[in-house]
C-alpha cells in the first residue's frame, strides 16, 4: 500500500522541497528520490534495508555520529530529538 501511494505521486523538481536547511549540509543530488538521512546504527540501517527490499528509489545521506554531525544545526532542523 505504501509503495503504491509513493509511486502514484507525481514528483517533479518544482514541487520537491529542497530549500530545507539540511540540504545546505547534505545536498540532494537526486531531489526526485526519497532522501534518507541515517546514522550508522542498527535502527538507522533498518530503514535502508526496508527501502532496498521494497525497491523504492532513495538517496542516502550518512550522518557521522563520531564527528557529531547529528548535533549540527542543519541536522537538528530536520530531527530535533
Amino acid at each position: 500500500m505504501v509503495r503504491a501511494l509513493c509511486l502514484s505521486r507525481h514528483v517533479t523538481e518544482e514541487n520537491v522541497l529542497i530549500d530545507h536547511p539540511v540540504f545546505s549540509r547534505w545536498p540532494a543530488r537526486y531531489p526526485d528520490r526519497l532522501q534518507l538521512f541515517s546514522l550508522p546504527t542498527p535502527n538507522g540501517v533498518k530503514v535502508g534495508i526496508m527501502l532496498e527490499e521494497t525497491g523504492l528509489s532513495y538517496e542516502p545521506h550518512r550522518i557521522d555520529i563520531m564527528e557529531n554531525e547529528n548535533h549540527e544545526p542543519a541536522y537538528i532542523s530536520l530531527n530535533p530529538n
Side-chain angles (χ1 to χ4, degrees):
M1 179 94 170
V2 173
R3 184 175 183 187
L5 291 172
C6 292
L7 294 177
S8 66
R9 187 174 148 233
H10 181 66
V11 178
T12 63
E13 285 193 35
E14 292 79 31
N15 68 9
V16 174
L17 181 62
I18 58 173
D19 62 346
H20 192 279
V22 77
F23 292 116
S24 64
R25 175 66 175 87
W26 295 278
R29 293 188 311 171
Y30 307 100
D32 58 327
R33 297 180 186 177
L34 291 171
Q35 302 295 307
L36 173 61
F37 298 90
S38 182
L39 296 96
T41 62
N43 286 334
V45 172
K46 289 176 190 177
V47 177
I49 292 171
M50 182 278 303
L51 290 169
E52 290 290 329
E53 291 290 324
T54 58
L56 292 171
S57 297
Y58 70 99
E59 179 179 355
H61 301 275
R62 185 178 188 271
I63 309 301
D64 190 346
I65 58 175
M66 297 306 289
E67 295 292 325
N68 287 324
E69 290 181 343
N70 55 320
H71 295 290
E72 291 184 11
Y75 184 77
I76 293 172
S77 70
L78 180 68
N79 184 11
N81 294 326

